[in-house]
Amino acid sequence: WKLMCTYLPCDVLSLQKSIVQHVEYTLARRRYKRDKGSFYQATAHSVRDRLIERWTDTQQYLSSKDTKRVYYLSLEYLLGRNLQNAMSCLALRNRYSAALEELGYSLEELTEEERDPGLGSGGLGRLASCFLDSLATLNYAAWGYGIRYKYGMFEQRLISNAQAEFPDFWLAQGYPWEVERPDVQYLVKMYGHLEEEDEEEGGMQVDSDGIGAENGSQKGSSLNLNSNATNGVAQRKKKKVVWKGGEDVLALGYDIPVPGFHTWNTNNLRLWESKASCEFDLGSFNDGQYYAAIEEKERSEPLTSVLYPCDNNAPGKELRLRQQYFYVSATLQDILRRFKKRPRSLFDLPNKVAIQLNETHPAIAIPEFMRLLIDEEGLSWEEAWQIVYNTFAYTNHTVMPEALEVWPVPLVEKLLPRHLMIIYEINHRFLTEVRQRWPDDPQRVARMSIIEESEPKLVRMAHLAIIGCHKVNGVAEIHTNLLRNALFPDFSEMWPDKFENITNGVNARRWLLQANPALSAVISKWVGNHEWIHDLGTLASLRRIAFDPELQRDWREAKRYNKRLLAAFIDKTCGIAVDSSAMFDVQVKRIHEYKRQFMNILSVAYRYLRLLSLLEGGRAEEVQRVVPRVVIFAGKAAADYVIAKDVIRMILDVAETINGDDRIGNLLKVVFIPNYNVSLAEVLIPGADVSQQISTAGMEASGTSNMKFAMNGALLLGSRDGANLEIESAIGRDNIFMFGATAKEVERLRSTMQYRKPQMDSRLKLVLEEMAKGRFGARLSQDGPISQLIDT
C-alpha cells in the first residue's frame, strides 16, 4: 500500500519513458516498428495511468465521506476523442506535446489516430457527455451509466449521390480509455412466467384472479399509490409473486474515467456489455449439437451490438426494449450494491442516491426498482414507492413521437411479465387518485393513463416517467411551456410544482478551448485571464471593448485561420476546392423533416437560379455585390427514414449541378460532408460564418449546436424555437437573425392548411418548376424516383 501512495511523475522525460514503455510492454511492439497508431495507443495508456490515479483517489474519498451521488442514465453518450481532452483536464497538454515532439511525433497527428466511440448518434448523446464533464469539473460525485455498443449507429458513406450505411466497428483497434471490470457482473432476467407463493409479511399483495384490463389496472388491486386504503376490495390470503424461468443475460461492466478540468475530481462512466450466462454447453456439444452448445451465447451477446436497431418490425422493437431493460437492470443492481456497502436502512436511499433519467429510454427503471425493492429486498409497496418516487427525476428532451416511447402491452408481457404487473398496479393506484380529484371526467382518466387503450394496448413510457419521478424538466423555456400546456397539461395541472425548466448547455472547455485554440487565445489575451474557461459569464467584459480595432483584427485573423483549416478538410474529404474567403454557411445536424434541411437546399437552388439570371442578363454590377458562399451540410439520416435519405439525395444532386457549373465559379458551392461526428464538428464549428438553426417552431426542444456555433463567433440564422429564443435574449436581437412563425402560429397554420392551402411563394414555385424540368438531375425531375419528396 505504501508503494501506491506516490504519484507518477509528469515531467517531459518521465512522460517519454511512460510512452515508450507502453509501446514495448503494453502493446508488445518491436522497437523499430514506430507507427503512429502504436504511439497513439501508448500515449493514451500513459495519460490513462495518470487519470486512474485521480479516479481511484476520487472514489476512495467519496466512499469515506459517504457523499450523495448522482447517477445519470442515458442510452447514448457521444464522447468524441478523449486524448486532448484528458491532457487538458490534467494540465499536461504542453508537456505531452513536447515529449512527443522529441520522440518524432506531433500531438495533432496522433490525435487523428483516435476513432470516435460509437456510443451515441446526436445531440442527446453529446449533451450527456457534456453533462458528465461539467459534473466532474464542478466536483459533484456523479456516475454515468449506459451501454457499450460493439458497433455505432453506422458509418455514413456517400455512394451514387446517396447515403449508404456501413458497420461502425469503432472497437476494431481497441479502446485504451476503458477498463474492463470482470468483477462487476450482474444477471438480468427476461421472459419467463409469474407464479404466486404464500407470503408471511411484506411484498406485493396480489389477487389470485391476476391482471385485469380496465385502464390497464390489475384486477382486484387493493391499495392506493401512497396509502393503505383497500378501496373496498376483499383481502385474500397474502401472496407473493415469483418470476420464474426465462432467460438470464450477464451484464459485464466497463469503466471510462471522466476527469474534471483542473481538479482532482474524476468521475466514472460505466457501460454494460452483454454476455451469455452460460458461455458454452458442453453436454450439447458432446451430443453432437454443436450449434445448440453456443445458442445462448449467440442470443445474448448481440444484445449490445448496435446502437438504435431499426424498430420498424417486431424483432427490432423487441431488441430495443431488451437493450433498455438490460442496462437499466444492471445499473440499478449496481447502485443498490454500492449503497448497501454500509449498514443502513434502505429508507435512507433518497438521501444518498439521485437517479436522473435522460429521456424516456430508461423509464423502465421505475418498475424495475420497484421489483428489486419489493421482490428482492422485501419492502412493502408503500415503502418501495416512497423510495422510488423520491430518488428518480426525468428530463424530457423533445416532443417528437419517437422520443415519447410506447411499447405494445403483449411485448412487455412477453419480455417483462413482472414489470407489466407492477406498471398495472402503479397505473391503477394513480388513476384512483385522478378519479378522486376529477370524479366525472373519464376522458381525463383515459388521457392520463399509462396504458393507451388502443389495439394492441400500449404502455406510455413518458407517462410512467412523470408519475414515478419527483421532478420533470424541459430543456428550454419554450419547450417546458409546451410540456406544461400542450403535451402533458393534465399532469401539469395535477402537479404544477413538478415541472420546471432547466435549459440545456454545452461544455465550453470542449467546444471552445479545445476545438478553437486560436479564438481561445484571443479571448484570454483580451479578457486578461483564463477565468472564462470555468465561468463563461466572464466573457461579458468583452462588450465594452468589442469595437476596439485591434481586438477585431485578432478576432478576424482567428476566424480566417479556422476557415483555412476547414477548407483544407473539405478538399481532403470531399474533393471539392472551396475559397476560404467565401462565407461559410453551415447546417449540421441529424437529417429530419422538422430540422428543415429540405427548406435549406430549396433556398440554395433558388440562389443558384438567381445567380444564373443575373449572369445571363448581363447585370455585372449586381453580380459583383454578391458575397461568395459555401453552403455546408452534414448529418446522418436514420437507416429506415426514407424521406430523410431522399433529402440527402436532393442535397447531393443539387450540389452536383451547382458545383459543376463553371458559370457560377466560386460564387456558390455546396458541400455535404459524410459521417458527421464530434471530431468533425470540432473542425467545422470554429470555421463557420453563419449557422442555420431553422427547425419548425415548437419541434426543437432546445438544440445545443446553436450554443456551440455562437460561442465560436458564428452568426445564427434561427427560427423562433428551442434555445434560439434564449440566445436572442442574451445577445440581443441585433446579433441574431430570427425569422418565421412562432410555435402558436405554426399550430394555427397547420389547422388552416387542413381546409385551405396557402398560396405558394413565387420563388419556391420557380425552384419546383425547374426541378420538375430536370434542371437538377433526372432523379428530381417530374418522373424521377425522388420527385415525390417535393409533395411532402
Side-chain angles (χ1 to χ4, degrees), residues 95-323:
R95 275 180 266 185
Y96 266 106
S97 182
L100 287 167
E101 188 174 350
E102 291 181 14
L103 291 172
Y105 296 92
S106 76
L107 176 58
E108 289 70 23
E109 285 179 339
L110 296 191
T111 298
E112 293 301 314
E113 296 295 313
E114 183 173 0
R115 189 165 182 171
D116 280 37
L119 301 171
S121 67
L124 184 74
R126 185 54 233 171
L127 178 80
S129 299
C130 281
F131 194 67
L132 293 187
D133 290 341
S134 295
L135 284 168
T137 298
L138 294 171
N139 293 322
Y140 283 99
W143 281 44
Y145 280 97
I147 295 177
R148 182 182 184 263
Y149 301 102
K150 185 176 182 181
Y151 299 93
M153 188 174 179
F154 58 80
E155 179 186 337
Q156 182 193 53
R157 300 181 194 172
L158 303 177
I159 299 176
S160 299
N161 275 8
Q163 171 179 291
E165 300 93 20
F166 288 80
D168 177 20
F169 187 29
W170 66 279
L171 289 167
Q173 303 299 321
Y175 189 58
W177 303 101
E178 68 182 5
V179 178
E180 183 179 357
R181 293 295 196 189
D183 56 320
V184 180
Q185 299 183 6
Y186 298 97
L187 283 177
V188 178
K189 178 184 285 294
M190 302 178 196
Y191 305 102
H193 64 278
L194 302 179
E195 295 181 5
E196 293 179 356
E197 296 179 357
D198 291 340
E199 181 187 42
E200 294 182 2
E201 292 183 359
M204 178 176 172
Q205 300 176 21
V206 299
D207 190 298
S208 59
D209 288 339
I211 297 174
E214 183 263 334
N215 279 322
S217 67
Q218 182 186 334
K219 188 175 180 181
S221 294
S222 59
L223 299 177
N224 283 332
L225 205 61
N226 293 304
S227 74
N228 291 314
T230 63
N231 293 321
V233 179
Q235 295 296 302
R236 304 188 179 194
K237 186 174 182 180
K238 289 182 179 180
K239 300 280 187 179
K240 69 176 180 180
V241 177
V242 181
W243 187 7
K244 293 188 175 181
E247 167 188 314
D248 289 330
V249 180
L250 193 67
L252 172 65
Y254 285 78
D255 290 346
I256 300 174
V258 180
F261 184 80
H262 292 189
T263 174
W264 279 88
N265 190 55
T266 303
N267 288 329
N268 193 46
L269 171 60
R270 177 159 288 175
L271 304 175
W272 301 108
E273 181 182 63
S274 59
K275 295 284 188 182
S277 57
C278 178
E279 185 78 10
F280 185 75
D281 187 344
L282 185 60
S284 296
F285 185 83
N286 290 336
D287 289 340
Q289 301 178 46
Y290 304 125
Y291 290 107
I294 59 171
E295 181 180 4
E296 185 174 340
K297 177 182 175 69
E298 292 300 308
R299 177 168 170 78
S300 298
E301 296 194 357
L303 185 59
T304 54
S305 287
V306 180
L307 167 67
Y308 291 147
C310 289
D311 62 351
N312 57 1
N313 54 65
K317 281 187 171 64
E318 186 170 337
L319 179 55
R320 277 212 185 190
L321 182 55
R322 289 179 71 212
Q323 276 188 343

Side-chain angles (χ1 to χ4, degrees), residues 425-699:
E425 186 71 9
I426 293 171
N427 198 44
H428 173 80
R429 295 168 185 245
F430 169 67
L431 293 184
T432 298
E433 290 189 15
V434 174
R435 289 189 183 99
Q436 288 172 350
R437 186 163 176 181
W438 293 281
D440 300 315
D441 196 346
Q443 290 80 16
R444 182 188 295 266
V445 171
R447 290 195 305 267
M448 299 183 76
S449 175
I450 297 173
I451 307 299
E452 179 181 313
E453 297 292 330
S454 56
E455 185 57 45
K457 293 181 180 180
L458 300 172
V459 181
R460 297 161 165 162
M461 302 307 287
H463 288 204
L464 177 61
I466 293 169
I467 293 166
C469 294
H470 65 276
K471 283 292 181 184
V472 177
N473 75 277
V475 291
E477 287 182 6
I478 183 176
H479 171 240
T480 303
N481 289 334
L482 286 169
L483 294 185
R484 290 189 179 117
N485 303 319
L487 202 60
F488 306 119
D490 297 314
F491 291 97
S492 180
E493 184 179 357
M494 187 170 185
W495 297 308
D497 294 334
K498 178 178 284 196
F499 290 80
E500 61 181 41
N501 178 63
I502 303 175
T503 300
N504 280 344
V506 298
N507 180 357
R509 293 165 293 282
R510 162 77 71 164
W511 293 108
L512 186 52
L513 181 66
Q514 179 177 321
N516 197 342
L519 183 58
S520 297
V522 172
I523 291 172
S524 294
K525 171 185 173 181
W526 287 90
V527 170
N529 55 58
H530 300 290
E531 292 301 315
W532 65 268
I533 299 172
H534 289 279
D535 180 11
L536 273 184
T538 307
L539 297 184
S541 63
L542 291 172
R543 290 181 187 271
R544 58 183 174 78
I545 55 173
F547 295 98
D548 187 300
E550 290 188 29
L551 168 58
Q552 292 180 346
R553 182 200 63 210
D554 290 349
W555 196 279
R556 283 194 298 270
E557 190 53 46
K559 178 62 72 173
R560 288 194 191 101
Y561 171 78
N562 289 319
K563 291 180 68 175
R564 288 194 293 270
L565 292 179
L566 178 53
F569 180 86
I570 291 171
D571 192 12
K572 177 182 176 182
T573 305
C574 305
I576 300 174
V578 298
D579 182 1
S580 64
S581 65
M583 178 190 293
F584 284 3
D585 181 347
V586 179
Q587 187 183 19
V588 289
K589 49 185 74 240
R590 178 167 53 97
I591 310 297
H592 200 289
E593 289 165 272
Y594 86 87
K595 293 180 183 288
R596 302 203 285 193
Q597 289 93 347
F598 182 33
M599 181 176 73
N600 191 2
I601 193 60
L602 290 174
S603 74
V604 173
Y606 175 75
R607 177 178 291 273
Y608 167 70
L609 296 174
R610 176 64 177 162
L611 285 171
L612 284 182
S613 70
L614 293 177
L615 291 167
E616 292 169 354
R619 296 154 73 176
E621 290 185 6
E622 290 187 54
V623 173
Q624 289 178 352
R625 290 199 296 268
V626 172
V627 176
R629 183 179 301 224
V630 179
V631 182
I632 302 170
F633 294 88
K636 295 180 180 180
D640 58 346
Y641 193 174
V642 176
I643 292 178
K645 295 176 79 170
D646 282 346
V647 170
I648 293 178
R649 290 189 182 99
M650 175 180 278
I651 292 171
L652 293 170
D653 285 351
V654 171
E656 186 174 60
T657 298
I658 294 174
N659 297 341
D661 193 334
D662 293 335
R663 294 171 295 175
I664 297 296
N666 286 331
L667 287 175
L668 183 62
K669 296 287 186 183
V670 183
V671 178
F672 191 104
I673 305 177
N675 210 38
Y676 185 57
N677 57 22
V678 175
S679 297
L680 172 54
E682 290 177 344
V683 176
L684 207 155
I685 291 173
D689 292 305
V690 175
S691 170
Q692 299 216 21
Q693 307 289 334
I694 56 176
S695 58
T696 305
M699 303 293 283

Side-chain angles (χ1 to χ4, degrees), residues 768-779:
L768 297 183
E769 288 174 349
E770 291 298 311
M771 284 185 172
K773 293 175 185 176
R775 166 85 76 167
F776 296 96
R779 292 196 303 187

